[in-house]
Amino acid sequence: MSVKIKTNYAMPFLSEGEVSAFQQKITDAHKALHEKTGAGNDFTGWVDLPVDYDKEEFARIKAAAEKIKKNNEVLIVIGIGGSYLGARAVIEFIKGQCYNAMADDCAKIYFSGNSISSSSFAEILHIIKDKDFAVNVISKSGTTTEPAIAFRMLRELLIERYGKEGAADRIYVTTDKAKGTLKAFADKEGYETFVVPDDVGGRYSVLTAVGLLPIAAAGIDIDALMEGAAEAREKLMPTSIEENDCYKYVAVRNALYNKGLKSEMFVSYEPCFTMMNEWLKQLFGESEGKENKGLFPTSAIFSTDLHSLGQYIQEGERILFESVVTFDKPRAEIYLKEDSENVDGLNFLAGKSMAFVNEKAFQGTVLAHNDGGVPNIIIENEDMKEKTLGYLIYFFEKACAVSGYVLGINPFDQPGVESYKRNMFALLGKPGYEKEKEALELRLNK
Ligand code: PA5
């Protein structure tokens, strides 16, 4: 199993030299990552995580998932950013976008605390009004406002419904192993806790308890997911662009960026990849967007978005390239039949599978977009199973980290995320922010 990079729809826009020019930088970045000498090296625990993880906790995750499934119809997963996107992305990809409607032998999973929208929170309250539910609150810092608000309210509801002890039996906390108010609170209340490792940042944490508990509760094979990641860890070691498809991808995307294409559009022909696109946007956007540098990550699902964004991609400003993630084997083979009346004129497709039609849409689009001046990198996968996804997740994490080093930034911090928080706290009147409050209100009232 592997992820294969096809560059023949990108190379017409690049010379061999423009790609190979990245070899030395990639070799250096690889060394910095594996020898832990690069910027942010305290956050490279994800590199060996697929083999070097806490096996006792892994077993506890499986046991907790079984208990959640047995005693509850619904699991509410509270978290934001890296503490939410990975789990949702994996669940939607493996189980499909309608997973809750099809969740016969596992918990229905809903996500909360990823916004401050009361309209959205009201939907959650409506869903659980007559259903047994459990909560998995996930926050590495334990202090993030969005999840903290949702947790406060859902905890109150659990206590109201099941009493303090009953609530404690339904609350699972994933946070730092020792630091933070959430950890202290969980210990005091007797909630079961899982660990966000010190050396793994939010957007690289999907293969820790952060992602694995909700993923397991959704009935997904987390052993296979880890096996895929472990295989990627082993196979993506060569430093040569020619031998390592992860680094080939890094070289080509950076060469396209150097040519003035400032945006990378992640594309899939599978709607269940929608949240994987969101995960990718966080991974690359939060890692690379620093010091006025970095590709702007965007995304599309085709053929859906060919009927909306397609016009811009074909004929708008030439600012982007596409990274198209494909899967050879669909999850289901469905065939078109002959129709005696042929009112829709589709009898020429009788006997053909939908996957075949989707494939032709992909081929036609790649060529059309190339004609329109849009390079395409093709990221090929064999199937849509857990093991393949685990491999793909690790592939992108490594590509992102190495790309960040090639770009000359720290791919593991996110200093820019603090700015909105400071303003929000000041405007809310949080103690200690009095001076900022005054200055901000003056600006708002201008
Ligand atoms: O990738 C990141 O580090 C962020 O997206 C965080 O995961 C996000 O801000 C949530 O932080 P926390 O887990 O501390 O609540």
Side-chain angles (χ1 to χ4, degrees):
M1 189 188 54
S2 62
V3 171
K4 292 217 170 58
I5 295 296
K6 267 180 85 174
T7 58
N8 51 318
Y9 303 110
M11 288 316 287
F13 302 86
L14 294 167
S15 70
E16 292 291 344
E18 283 169 321
V19 176
S20 61
F22 282 95
Q23 181 61 72
Q24 190 54 53
K25 280 190 174 177
I26 287 173
T27 305
D28 294 345
H30 171 97
K31 244 179 121 202
L33 183 67
H34 285 279
E35 291 175 8
K36 297 188 186 294
T37 53
N41 58 50
D42 286 353
F43 290 96
T44 53
W46 57 271
V47 174
D48 294 321
L49 187 71
V51 287
D52 187 12
Y53 59 90
D54 182 341
K55 311 287 182 304
E56 181 273 329
E57 184 182 64
F58 197 77
R60 264 196 318 116
I61 288 172
K62 287 185 184 171
E66 284 312 311
K67 189 173 156 197
I68 290 168
K69 284 174 359 189
K70 191 165 153 253
N71 299 337
N72 303 282
E73 199 177 328
V74 170
L75 171 68
I76 308 289
V77 180
I78 301 175
I80 195 165
S83 289
Y84 132 81
L85 278 165
R88 185 156 171 200
V90 171
I91 293 170
E92 289 204 14
F93 180 75
I94 296 292
K95 306 287 270 191
Q97 286 179 303
C98 301
Y99 61 95
N100 279 332
M102 305 193 299
D104 300 330
D105 59 349
C106 55
K108 291 184 172 68
I109 316 279
Y110 293 93
F111 292 88
S112 188
N114 51 66
S115 77
I116 321 171
S117 159
S118 53
S119 316
S120 167
F121 194 71
E123 291 170 25
I124 297 286
L125 293 177
H126 181 84
I127 288 164
I128 55 178
K129 76 176 183 314
D130 52 7
K131 290 186 176 55
D132 282 323
F133 73 101
V135 162
N136 178 201
V137 56
I138 308 167
S139 178
K140 184 170 185 174
S141 62
T143 55
T144 309
T145 310
E146 291 88 338
I149 290 175
F151 183 46
R152 171 184 278 229
M153 298 212 220
L154 290 173
R155 196 180 67 238
E156 271 168 21
L157 192 60
L158 278 170
I159 293 171
E160 212 173 275
R161 199 178 290 179
Y162 303 103
K164 239 177 160 237
E165 250 178 58
D169 212 35
R170 287 184 149 83
I171 294 175
Y172 299 86
V173 175
T174 308
T175 189
D176 189 272
K177 70 173 185 308
K179 293 192 294 269
T181 43
L182 189 55
K183 172 65 182 160
F185 185 66
D187 286 347
K188 180 171 132 306
E189 298 296 318
Y191 304 151
E192 180 161 12
T193 58
F194 297 92
V195 172
V196 191
D198 284 345
D199 55 359
V200 180
R203 57 193 176 276
Y204 292 84
S205 70
V206 54
L207 300 177
T208 70
V210 170
L212 294 177
L213 178 55
I215 291 169
I220 291 169
D221 182 350
I222 58 172
D223 287 296
L225 200 65
M226 294 302 273
E227 267 170 45
E231 195 172 322
R233 173 185 166 274
E234 204 179 306
K235 282 201 178 153
L236 302 178
M237 279 304 278
T239 53
S240 159
I241 295 172
E242 294 314 318
E243 288 167 47
N244 184 335
D245 274 25
C246 178
Y247 293 167
K248 188 190 281 184
Y249 167 58
V250 171
V252 175
R253 72 192 287 280
N254 279 287
L256 291 168
Y257 177 56
N258 272 6
K259 286 224 102 151
L261 298 175
K262 303 290 185 203
S263 180
E264 175 173 27
M265 179 175 271
F266 293 103
V267 171
S268 172
Y269 283 72
E270 296 292 345
C272 64
F273 202 79
T274 303
M275 287 307 297
M276 277 299 295
N277 273 342
E278 295 305 311
W279 177 78
L280 284 167
K281 277 151 61 176
Q282 187 206 2
L283 181 66
F284 282 93
E286 208 168 64
S287 298
E288 292 190 313
K290 283 157 207 169
E291 301 175 28
N292 298 335
K293 296 191 229 177
L295 278 158
F296 179 70
T298 174
S299 69
I301 296 294
F302 292 167
S303 64
T304 315
D305 293 328
L306 290 173
H307 296 259
S308 56
L309 285 173
Q311 172 61 36
Y312 189 99
I313 300 166
Q314 192 69 44
E315 294 182 352
E317 273 229 66
R318 304 300 70 191
I319 52 169
L320 62 87
F321 66 90
E322 291 164 274
S323 291
V324 187
V325 183
T326 65
F327 301 92
D328 292 347
K329 282 192 213 106
R331 202 165 279 133
E333 284 288 8
I334 298 175
Y335 290 86
L336 282 115
K337 292 187 190 134
E338 188 87 20
D339 183 287
S340 58
E341 291 182 32
N342 196 26
V343 187
D344 51 18
L346 288 178
N347 270 355
F348 75 103
L349 292 176
K352 299 276 193 295
S353 70
M354 286 181 76
F356 172 81
V357 181
N358 209 15
E359 168 79 6
K360 294 299 151 196
F362 156 67
Q363 290 171 346
T365 305
V366 168
L367 295 177
H369 287 182
N370 262 200
D371 291 343
V374 181
N376 274 230
I377 304 172
I378 314 299
I379 302 170
E380 285 183 342
N381 297 270
E382 281 167 27
D383 57 36
M384 299 174 68
K385 296 184 182 151
E386 283 93 333
K387 196 169 170 192
T388 306
L389 184 62
Y391 193 111
L392 185 63
I393 285 171
Y394 191 90
F395 175 96
F396 276 125
E397 287 178 346
K398 194 163 199 195
C400 181
V402 169
S403 262
Y405 283 159
V406 165
L407 202 61
I409 50 89
N410 176 355
F412 304 116
D413 65 358
Q414 53 283 327
V417 180
E418 294 310 309
S419 307
Y420 99 88
K421 289 187 195 168
R422 265 198 310 275
N423 287 353
M424 179 179 77
F425 289 145
L427 291 168
L428 283 169
K430 191 172 179 177
Y433 289 79
E434 292 75 10
K435 271 214 176 101
E436 284 101 318
K437 184 175 198 277
E438 215 175 291
L440 290 169
E441 281 179 345
L442 264 175
R443 279 171 65 194
L444 285 173
N445 293 331
K446 256 190 190 160

